[in-house]
Amino acid sequence: QVQLVESGGGLVQAGGSLTLSCAASGSIFSINGMGWYRQAPGKQRELVAAITRSGSTNYADPVKGRFTISRANAKNTVYLQMNSLKPEDTAVYYCNADLFYPLLDESTLVWGQGTQVTVSS
C-alpha cells in the first residue's frame, strides 16, 4: 500500500515562512494530481493548492501570491512553500495524492496524517 508522510510544519511568527513536504512511498503506482488541504479548529477541511503531473497548478484565493506548490515526480514528493504567513493560516495541513495503478486499471485517493502549522501574531 502507499503511504503519504508530511513534514515541515511548526510554529512561526506572522510574516514568516515555512516549507511543507510530502513523500509518497509503497507499492508500484503512478501519481496524477497531488495537493494540500488544511483544516483549522472548528472549521471544515479546505483545498489550499493542487498540482498535476505536468505541473499545472491551482490555488485557493486566500493563499494566491503567498503559497507555491511544486512537485518532484521522480521522488514522488510534493512541496508547499508558504510565505507571508498569517494567523488565519493556522491549521493542520494534509497532503493528498490521486494514485493510479496501471496493472489494476484503478485510481484511488490517499491522504497523509497531517502536519500542524501555527502562525502567531
Side-chain angles (χ1 to χ4, degrees), residues 16-57:
S17 299
L18 285 174
T19 299
L20 306 182
S21 299
C22 173
S25 62
S27 303
I28 299 298
F29 61 89
S30 178
I31 301 178
N32 295 320
M34 299 188 77
W36 289 95
Y37 290 71
R38 68 186 182 186
Q39 186 167 22
K43 297 184 178 180
Q44 294 183 317
R45 188 175 299 186
E46 63 181 8
L47 174 70
V48 176
I51 187 169
T52 68
R53 185 171 183 83
S54 64
S56 296
T57 58

Side-chain angles (χ1 to χ4, degrees), residues 34-39 44-51 57-64 67 69 80 93-96 111:
M34 299 188 77
W36 289 95
Y37 290 71
R38 68 186 182 186
Q39 186 167 22
Q44 294 183 317
R45 188 175 299 186
E46 63 181 8
L47 174 70
V48 176
I51 187 169
T57 58
N58 182 48
Y59 296 92
D61 287 340
V63 308
K64 287 181 179 178
F67 292 9
I69 188 170
L80 185 68
Y93 284 70
Y94 297 90
C95 177
N96 171 271
W111 292 85

Side-chain angles (χ1 to χ4, degrees), residues 42-117:
K43 297 184 178 180
Q44 294 183 317
R45 188 175 299 186
E46 63 181 8
L47 174 70
V48 176
I51 187 169
T52 68
R53 185 171 183 83
S54 64
S56 296
T57 58
N58 182 48
Y59 296 92
D61 287 340
V63 308
K64 287 181 179 178
R66 299 190 297 120
F67 292 9
T68 302
I69 188 170
S70 62
R71 62 189 289 178
N73 293 337
K75 300 179 181 179
N76 292 325
T77 301
V78 64
Y79 306 93
L80 185 68
Q81 176 66 50
M82 305 184 293
N83 298 321
S84 302
L85 283 163
K86 305 174 181 180
E88 51 262 44
D89 294 319
T90 296
V92 177
Y93 284 70
Y94 297 90
C95 177
N96 171 271
D98 179 8
L99 307 182
F100 178 68
Y101 297 87
L103 295 179
L104 300 177
D105 191 25
E106 179 181 277
S107 296
T108 188
L109 295 177
V110 179
W111 292 85
Q113 290 298 304
T115 184
Q116 177 70 48
V117 172

